[in-house]
Amino acid sequence: MNLAERLVAMPTAKQSFEFEGDRALETAKTILSNYEIQGSVKRISVELVEEQEVQDEGNEKSADPTDDRELKQIRANTNHHIVLTGLKELDEADKTPASSNDIYNHKSDQIKEESVYAALSNLYDRRLVERERIKEGSNHHYVYSMNGYGQEELNRVGIHD
């Protein structure tokens, strides 16, 4: 069963989908064209967002040739937004650098734990946060801190409530 068939077969009254990447539009069109409507539909909402890259003095790549991360924006009211806001709040309380657990504990009423990990990794890839690998005993983990680009993004989209 392909993705479209699995999603159409989901037995829920309210469904929400988000697709990212090069095939996002194609995937969304496939889902909508294959959707079997049973009963009445009260609302369908479609939001097309073309991702724009944040300007980095005319260069979307870092000046550091070993840093291949791309500077990209986030959308409001997403997990990225919640995590970036949480990191800023921890930073303002002098509790950074912060681990993903610190951020989850601070925002656990708004986000799932596994979503924090994914969002932090993506925010790092988008150059909106910095991370450092820390060794505690025999374990390693990352801690994150806000950078100027992340602050600019929060100024643009606002603080998540």
Side-chain angles (χ1 to χ4, degrees):
M1 184 180 284
N2 67 28
L3 175 64
E5 291 168 335
R6 285 195 316 254
L7 293 175
V8 169
M10 294 172 74
T12 61
K14 181 178 180 181
Q15 295 181 2
S16 176
F17 307 108
E18 183 172 331
F19 306 102
E20 294 183 6
D22 296 337
R23 298 177 44 102
L25 184 58
E26 181 180 322
T27 303
K29 285 179 181 178
T30 301
I31 296 300
L32 288 173
S33 68
N34 290 320
Y35 207 87
E36 297 175 18
I37 299 172
Q38 298 175 2
S40 64
V41 175
K42 295 188 187 263
R43 180 179 64 164
I44 294 177
S45 176
V46 176
E47 178 183 4
L48 297 176
V49 178
E50 291 185 57
E51 192 165 303
Q52 299 173 3
E53 295 182 358
V54 178
Q55 293 302 313
D56 182 15
E57 297 178 14
N59 186 0
E60 65 197 34
K61 298 280 187 180
S62 172
D64 179 355
T66 62
D67 187 354
D68 62 353
R69 299 179 296 158
E70 290 187 36
L71 187 59
K72 293 185 179 178
Q73 295 179 329
I74 63 169
R75 288 180 296 178
N77 303 316
T78 61
N79 289 338
H80 295 104
H81 191 196
I82 294 168
V83 168
L84 201 55
T85 296
L87 192 56
K88 177 171 179 51
E89 291 168 354
L90 290 171
D91 188 51
E92 289 174 345
D94 291 327
K95 295 181 179 178
T96 56
S99 69
S100 57
N101 287 334
D102 296 332
I103 296 166
Y104 170 70
N105 290 334
H106 184 68
K107 290 292 188 180
S108 62
D109 60 329
Q110 298 177 10
I111 192 168
K112 294 180 181 178
E113 186 173 10
E114 57 272 11
S115 297
V116 173
Y117 303 117
L120 279 168
S121 179
N122 193 267
L123 288 168
Y124 175 77
D125 289 343
R126 293 175 184 223
R127 294 182 53 212
L128 300 176
V129 299
E130 297 303 324
R131 73 179 179 195
E132 179 182 353
R133 190 169 184 195
I134 302 295
K135 181 177 181 181
E136 290 181 356
S138 61
N139 297 324
H140 291 87
H141 69 278
Y142 287 111
V143 291
Y144 298 84
S145 56
M146 180 71 85
N147 65 23
Y149 296 126
Q151 180 59 55
E152 287 176 19
E153 263 309 272
L154 279 181
N155 291 343
R156 187 183 67 80
V157 295
I159 298 291
H160 187 273
D161 296 325

